[in-house]
Each structure stands twice: as structure tokens, then as C-alpha cells.
């Protein structure tokens, strides 16, 4: 698995270059078979592009989401804690390869099925290793958010020697499949997500992103629509309304070991106000992974609000030091 710097000639969303002021380097590409994976690195201030220093940390994104949903402010805090931060788009997300359509086009239907039509969860775990290979990392800390948390757990199972520590947030146990997953999902929110309809235009993608952020935030705090809209204006994400791609991601089935076989030091974060995935999911994950620590995040929903960034970075630094 290699990491060419030229974009792939496969179906994908139009490439987008980060503005230099963001601190993220140019989009680069890793390869896993026929799948091309877009990734970039955070360059701390004072260092030339492409030369971040610190312990490798790979960010794993959620269902359908571009890597650009991860808050740059949190990434900077993690860099300040001594991590060299990189992020990537999972297959069928962001600028990475989007696979051909399959018969199932509804994410809820895909969740309930016991087989995937496009690829396996093992394939998605191997994608992360392809990105690490392209970065030249023998091993890395992992942070997975939402679906990315389940993927990160599977990476730790499938490639234990490549994972230094595992942090999973707002995620279900990575070995659950089909109806067993639903015990940890708030079905009302899931139904509202499935009914979201927005035009496939730049404005539609921004409006959809605002609606999604509003739905997933904690009800305990005011929703800052202006800030979310401004963030999305820089990089609208078509993936959040792409039900076909989401169906393929969520339908990928895991056939590997159960999560009680994870050996990496593990931190499990979960917002107590999560309107999509119940905190029971985080507690169940921590209870089943040997030595894992569960950290509840009061006033946090299914998102990464600024008020939680310092706590998250602190806990991840403690985990790495331990």
C-alpha cells in the first residue's frame, strides 16, 4: 500500500485545498487496492509544511463525513500536547474513492442487514493502515469519532502492533452488527436523519450541514448557527446527504474478533447529551475492552464542541503517557 501525491482517477467529490491559514497541508493520497484515500497533516506553527513533530495521531471520521468536520482548534490542542496529527477521508467519504452503487440505498436498511454489498469492515480498517503507510508511520495513536470510533476499534483488533493507544468517542462497540446495534441508538433521531432532504448544490450542502449539526448538538447549550454556517461555507460536505455512500459504509460487516481482544490502552469518551448514540454504548465498550477507561462528557452531544476540547486533549495525553 503506497501514498502517491497525485489525485486518483476514480469517482470522488471535487478536490479542495485547505487555505494556508488553517495549518492543514495539501491533500495527499494513499492507496488500498483500487481505493484512493485522501488525507492531510496538521503543520504546527513554526514548522515547514510536511514536517510535523510529535507522536503520530490519526483521526478517523464518522459516517459519510469529510475529514474537514474535525475541528481544527481541537487538532491544534492535540498538537500542543505533543501529537503529530493527520486525518483522512474514509472510503465513500470526502475526497476518497466512492464505490459503485449497490442495491441498498437507505442507511437504516443497511444497518439492519447482516451482509454488506460493497466491502467489509476489514477493508475499512485496512484503509487506515494504508494512510499510515503513506505517512511513514509504523504505529500511531488513534482517535475515532462516531462510526470512526467503531472503525478505530476494528483497526486495533486487526492491526494491534500498529496501534499505540485507542480513543473512541460517541461510538457503538465495534463488533456489533445488525439489530444488536439498535439498543444503543436513539431511533427518533435516526428517523429524522433519514428524512433529511436537501438539493445537491453548494447551498443545499451548507443548509444540510447546519441542520445536521443542530440535530446532533447538546440541547443544554445554545446552537451557534452562524459559526457552523461559516465553517461549512469554507468546505461544504456533500457526504452528509449522500445516502448511497452512507449505506455502503454502515453496511460493511465485521467478521473479526470481539472487542474484548483489544490490547491497546483505550479511552472511551461519550457525551451524556448525545441525541443519536446513547451513553450506554460508551459504557458497554469500556466494560468489554480490558483496562479501558470510560470518561463521560457532560453537556456534550454527538459533536465536538469547543468547551470539551481541553478535556479531550488532556485525557488523550494522559492515555498516551500511561
Amino acid at each position: 500500500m503506497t501514498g502517491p501525491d497525485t489525485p486518483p482517477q476514480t469517482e470522488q467529490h471535487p478536490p479542495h485545498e485547505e487555505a494556508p491559514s488553517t495549518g492543514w497541508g495539501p491533500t495527499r493520497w494513499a492507496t488500498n487496492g483500487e481505493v484512493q484515500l485522501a488525507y492531510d497533516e496538521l503543520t504546527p506553527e513554526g514548522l515547514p509544511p510536511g514536517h510535523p513533530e510529535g507522536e503520530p495521531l490519526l483521526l478517523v471520521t464518522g459516517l459519510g463525513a469529510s475529514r474537514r468536520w474535525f475541528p481544527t482548534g481541537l487538532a491544534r490542542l492535540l498538537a500542543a500536547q505533543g501529537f503529530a496529527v493527520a486525518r483522512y477521508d474514509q472510503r465513500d467519504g470526502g475526497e476518497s474513492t466512492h464505490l459503485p452503487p449497490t442495491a441498498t440505498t437507505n442507511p437504516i436498511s443497511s444497518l439492519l442487514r447482516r451482509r454488506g454489498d460493497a466491502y467489509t469492515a476489514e477493508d475499512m480498517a485496512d484503509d487506515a493502515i494504508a494512510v499510515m503507510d503513506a505517512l511513514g508511520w509504523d504505529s500511531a495513536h488513534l482517535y475515532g469519532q462516531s462510526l470512526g470510533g467503531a472503525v478505530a476499534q476494528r483497526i486495533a483488533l486487526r492491526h494491534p502492533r500498529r496501534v499505540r493507544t485507542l480513543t473512541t468517542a460517541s461510538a457503538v462497540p465495534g463488533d456489533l452488527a445488525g439489530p444488536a446495534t439498535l439498543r444503543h441508538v436513539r431511533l427518533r433521531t435516526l428517523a429524522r436523519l433519514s428524512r433529511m432532504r436537501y438539493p445537491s448544490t453548494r447551498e443545499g450542502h451548507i443548509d444540510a450541514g447546519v441542520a445536521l449539526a443542530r440535530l446532533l448538538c447538546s440541547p443544554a447549550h445554545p446552537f451557534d448557527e452562524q459559526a457552523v454556517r461559516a465553517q461549512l461555507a469554507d468546505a461544504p460536505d456533500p457526504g452528509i446527504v449522500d445516502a448511497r455512500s452512507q449505506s455502503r459504509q454502515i453496511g460493511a460487516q465485521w467478521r473479526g474478533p470481539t472487542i474484548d481482544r483489544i490490547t491497546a490502552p483505550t479511552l472511551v469518551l461519550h457525551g451524556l447529551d448525545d441525541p443519536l448514540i446513547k451513553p450506554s454504548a460508551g459504557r458497554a465498550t469500556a466494560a468489554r475492552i480490558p483496562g479501558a477507561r470510560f470518561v463521560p462528557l457532560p453537556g456534550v452531544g454527538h459533536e465536538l464542541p469547543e468547551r470539551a476540547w481541553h478535556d479531550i486533549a488532556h485525557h488523550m495525553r494522559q492515555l498516551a503517557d500511561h
Side-chain angles (χ1 to χ4, degrees):
M1 294 182 278
T2 59
D5 292 336
T6 54
Q9 304 300 311
T10 51
E11 181 189 351
Q12 56 176 321
H13 295 304
H16 170 83
E17 291 296 327
E18 291 282 354
S21 61
T22 67
W24 292 101
T27 300
R28 298 169 62 193
W29 307 93
T31 304
N32 182 16
E34 297 181 353
V35 173
Q36 302 280 348
L37 301 148
Y39 70 93
D40 52 19
E41 297 176 83
L42 183 72
T43 301
E45 295 180 5
L47 290 176
H51 294 82
E53 294 182 348
E55 301 172 38
L57 169 62
L58 185 63
L59 309 177
V60 189
T61 58
L63 178 66
S66 160
R67 67 191 188 276
R68 294 184 173 89
W69 274 91
F70 196 91
T72 297
L74 175 54
R76 289 188 182 280
L77 283 176
L78 291 167
Q81 291 280 2
F83 295 105
V85 184
R87 59 186 184 176
Y88 75 102
D89 290 331
Q90 296 199 51
R91 60 174 65 200
D92 272 321
E95 298 172 80
S96 293
T97 298
H98 287 240
L99 281 294
T102 55
T104 305
T105 60
N106 183 293
I108 297 178
S109 299
S110 295
L111 178 64
L112 295 175
R113 300 180 75 187
R114 293 190 177 276
R115 65 182 181 86
D117 295 326
Y119 44 81
T120 67
E122 285 82 353
D123 292 328
M124 297 180 73
D126 292 347
D127 288 344
I129 299 303
V131 173
M132 289 171 57
D133 288 344
L135 287 161
W137 293 353
D138 291 330
S139 63
H141 303 279
L142 297 182
Y143 177 98
Q145 178 75 18
S146 192
L147 176 67
V151 172
Q153 294 171 51
R154 296 160 183 167
I155 298 166
L157 285 168
R158 187 165 170 83
H159 303 279
R161 288 181 292 179
R162 304 295 297 269
V163 178
R164 300 187 185 188
T165 65
L166 167 66
T167 299
T168 173
S170 306
V172 300
D175 54 0
L176 290 187
T181 307
L182 294 182
R183 72 175 71 126
H184 299 301
V185 177
R186 300 190 192 277
L187 298 181
R188 181 178 298 180
T189 305
L190 192 63
R192 291 177 64 184
L193 286 171
S194 70
R195 293 195 297 265
M196 288 179 58
R197 298 289 186 271
Y198 290 88
S200 186
T201 63
R202 184 178 186 278
E203 292 74 19
H205 297 151
I206 293 174
D207 289 341
V210 171
L212 178 66
R214 186 191 303 275
L215 181 61
L216 298 182
C217 74
S218 167
H221 296 272
F223 177 68
D224 191 344
E225 177 176 341
Q226 184 176 359
V228 174
R229 192 171 290 276
Q231 176 188 350
L232 291 168
D234 292 333
D237 185 8
I240 59 175
V241 293
D242 186 351
R244 291 178 177 270
S245 293
Q246 292 176 16
S247 295
R248 294 190 292 272
Q249 284 187 343
I250 205 169
Q253 299 296 302
W254 173 250
R255 306 298 185 191
T258 54
I259 62 171
D260 59 319
R261 302 287 297 276
I262 290 175
T263 57
T266 300
L267 172 68
V268 180
L269 305 172
H270 211 109
L272 293 182
D273 293 346
D274 193 326
L276 179 60
I277 306 297
K278 301 174 184 177
S280 63
R283 293 190 177 96
T285 300
R288 294 182 55 210
I289 297 176
R293 186 164 70 99
F294 176 70
V295 176
L297 300 175
V300 174
H302 197 78
E303 90 273 57
L304 288 168
E306 185 172 356
R307 59 184 174 274
W309 292 353
H310 283 278
D311 283 345
I312 292 171
H314 170 73
H315 287 302
M316 290 180 64
R317 183 66 261 168
Q318 280 192 326
L319 179 69
D321 290 342
H322 176 75

